[in-house]
Amino acid sequence: MTDWPRLIRDIHDFPRPGVLFKDIMPMLADADAFATVIDALAAPWRDVPIDVVMAIESRGFLFGAPLARALGTGLVPLRKPGKLPGPVLEASYALEYGQDTLQVQAGAVAPGARVLLVDDVLATGGTLLAARELALQLQAEITGASVLMEIAALGARARWDGTPLRAALVV
Ligand SMILES: O=P(O)(O)OC[C@H]1O[C@H](OP(=O)(O)OP(=O)(O)O)[C@H](O)[C@@H]1O
Ligand SMILES: Nc1ncnc2[nH]cnc12
């Protein structure tokens, strides 16, 4: 099996001074690593009923789409403002190095749909909590969340809602 974590680079002071940025691009470019990572993300959910993967723009799309295929679910993208034709629901949030807003199309899933939230990096958790808020606005049932990498020192897990939160790698 590929030692994929070694393909994630630490970049100091990006995109802002003081941030240690985890650069996943070399890992994505490696065929074995990418395949291993998608398998690892899918493994905890194989026997869990899930209707839809909700993936967060933009790096979350890189994992959400293949994960949805691996699990045989639908895919609902949560997008940055101005990308989705309306009507849309939205949630604004702070992340490790800025502020942003996510949107989802109203009615994107039926009330009660079982949703898995997917992103690449869990840092402060602001982004994932905004995704959760959108799922709740849609009256979805949050089955859990999956991320490639959790930066544990930033404390997101303590802010999470208690549903299963899986990380393929914790640093
Ligand atoms: O846990 P948090 O502190 O909220 O940070 C995590 C988020 O930060 C990055 O997104 P970014 O907004 O940089 O967008 P990108 O995926 O388009 O690069 C990353 O892809 C996560 O979505
Ligand atoms: N330190 C970090 N590295 C990569 N992506 C991030 N998103 C938020 N914080 C991040």
Side-chain angles (χ1 to χ4, degrees), residues 73-88:
T73 74
L75 176 69
V76 169
L78 305 181
R79 300 217 58 183
K80 303 287 169 67
K83 302 292 187 181
L84 289 170
V88 294

Side-chain angles (χ1 to χ4, degrees), residues 57-59 80 95-97 119-127:
E57 183 169 355
S58 57
R59 278 176 275 155
K80 303 287 169 67
L95 69 152
E96 188 184 3
Y97 40 67
D119 206 354
D120 64 330
V121 173
L122 181 66
T124 65
T127 307

Side-chain angles (χ1 to χ4, degrees), residues 21-166:
F21 188 82
K22 299 289 184 179
D23 181 15
I24 63 169
M25 298 306 156
M27 187 276 289
L28 285 170
D30 184 291
D32 289 341
F34 190 36
T36 300
V37 155
I38 298 304
D39 286 347
L41 286 171
W45 308 104
R46 290 231 181 253
D47 297 323
V48 179
I50 293 167
D51 298 308
V52 164
V53 164
M54 279 191 179
I56 300 170
E57 183 169 355
S58 57
R59 278 176 275 155
F61 294 174
L62 301 170
F63 302 96
L67 187 53
R69 289 301 302 129
L71 296 176
T73 74
L75 176 69
V76 169
L78 305 181
R79 300 217 58 183
K80 303 287 169 67
K83 302 292 187 181
L84 289 170
V88 294
L89 308 171
E90 66 179 29
S92 295
Y93 58 95
L95 69 152
E96 188 184 3
Y97 40 67
Q99 294 204 320
D100 219 324
T101 298
L102 284 174
Q103 296 184 335
V104 69
Q105 285 175 313
V109 300
R114 297 162 297 191
V115 162
L116 176 66
L117 304 172
V118 174
D119 206 354
D120 64 330
V121 173
L122 181 66
T124 65
T127 307
L128 192 64
L129 286 169
R132 174 182 178 277
E133 186 183 326
L134 288 179
L136 292 178
Q137 286 187 41
L138 290 167
Q139 298 179 271
E141 178 188 317
I142 298 167
T143 300
S146 232
V147 298
L148 173 73
M149 183 188 321
E150 174 183 355
I151 304 174
L154 295 179
R157 199 164 277 271
R159 303 175 68 193
W160 186 238
D161 67 0
T163 60
L165 170 57
R166 302 288 194 155

